[in-house]
Amino acid sequence: MATFVHLTPAANAPGIRRSGIRAARSGARGVYCFPVLPSYTLTHQWLRELARFGHRGPMTAVHLRLDDAEPVLVGHYGDRPRADTAAGAVRRIAALADPRGWEVFVPRAVAAREVRAVRAVPQGVGWRYRPDAHGRRPCTCFGCRERGGYGARRLRERLPHPVDGPAPPPRVLLARIAAAGDPGDPAELRAALHWFGLRRRGPLPELARLAAHPDAGVREDLVWAVGHWTTPGVPALLDTLAADPDPDVRDAVAALRDPA
């Protein structure tokens, strides 16, 4: 029998003892786990990372045993997993020089009879974000940053990303647009519109005049900047730009209104 550990909030422990581990409902249905290795730290390496995702209270370790021939998927979290048996997954991970970031996926629920123990575990075990992340300068680009996470705003302010912000205040951006002249230097206007595009609302009346700018690139960037705003008047402005003589501007409006 192959032995694995599944990490879950302690609040789920009573239900797991009674009914087992339910299959996850997001994406593929199943249960993530990791083999029990001689190293306690490696066995519970995922704890701090899993604790970041909105779980309240401490995490706990659920030990389970599966038949050696049980079909599973095994792989590194950044790679495509491969089909294997439970015993094969244990052998593969145990033979690795660095098994951090590896995981096993059981494509079904785990029955209560397969749960062998539910144990408390120290809450400081494991890595966060990725193995070896400690000591590395964090990336604050839109794809890497954790929106709404603890200290996320201070981190973005301390390490601003050249493309993804944080954006300058609207008054600063409006001053740049005014300084660009009339009708305005396209490069300066497009740079300001990029920053406005990172906001959820903005000063639409001050930007609406750019819908008549002679440079089609400015008009297209205006679409992308304000198209997702909740500011009143955005739909009417998009209606105007939907009839723009430039096909790229019209396509931008159509892409916003029909993402599919």
Side-chain angles (χ1 to χ4, degrees):
M1 300 289 283
T3 306
F4 298 87
V5 64
H6 169 76
L7 299 171
T8 188
N12 296 337
I16 289 174
R17 289 190 179 97
R18 181 174 60 253
S19 306
I21 307 173
R22 293 184 298 177
R25 295 183 179 181
S26 58
R29 294 180 63 86
V31 175
Y32 284 98
C33 55
F34 191 84
V36 174
L37 301 179
S39 169
Y40 187 91
T41 301
L42 290 176
T43 299
H44 302 86
Q45 61 172 285
W46 281 93
L47 189 140
R48 291 180 73 203
E49 173 65 7
L50 295 177
R52 292 196 305 119
F53 293 97
H55 299 307
R56 295 184 178 180
M59 302 287 285
T60 194
V62 180
H63 289 250
L64 52 109
R65 287 183 180 177
L66 303 176
D67 188 272
D68 287 345
E70 177 73 32
V72 300
L73 298 174
V74 58
H76 193 271
Y77 72 88
D79 301 328
R80 186 182 183 91
R82 296 182 178 181
D84 206 333
T85 63
V90 173
R91 286 194 299 268
R92 178 178 296 185
I93 292 178
L96 295 171
D98 184 5
R100 292 177 302 170
W102 281 68
E103 57 192 0
V104 176
F105 182 74
V106 183
R108 63 171 178 83
V110 174
R113 67 178 181 277
E114 296 172 309
V115 175
R116 297 305 180 187
V118 179
R119 297 191 174 106
V121 60
Q123 301 301 295
V125 177
W127 43 266
R128 288 188 298 168
Y129 307 109
R130 64 189 62 83
D132 292 325
H134 185 70
R136 294 185 181 182
R137 179 186 176 98
C139 179
T140 55
C141 75
F142 186 82
C144 293
R145 68 190 183 214
E146 181 186 5
R147 300 187 68 185
Y150 178 79
R153 180 179 62 83
R154 292 194 300 272
L155 178 64
R156 291 180 60 205
E157 292 174 350
R158 181 168 59 88
L159 301 173
H161 192 272
V163 176
D164 292 335
R171 56 182 176 78
V172 173
L173 296 175
L174 291 175
R176 292 180 185 178
I177 291 176
D182 188 15
D185 177 63
E188 292 294 329
L189 295 177
R190 298 183 72 173
L193 287 172
H194 163 76
W195 293 119
F196 273 120
L198 301 180
R199 307 185 65 86
R200 284 180 287 185
R201 291 178 64 110
L204 188 66
E206 289 85 345
L207 300 182
R209 68 176 182 85
L210 298 180
H213 195 278
D215 187 275
V218 172
R219 302 196 302 274
E220 181 181 356
D221 283 2
L222 177 63
V223 173
W224 295 116
V226 308
H228 62 281
W229 283 2
T230 58
T231 305
V234 168
L237 178 59
L238 292 180
D239 287 340
T240 300
L241 292 167
D244 193 273
D246 188 272
D248 289 339
V249 179
R250 299 195 302 270
D251 289 347
V253 176
L256 277 173
R257 290 181 166 176
D258 187 12

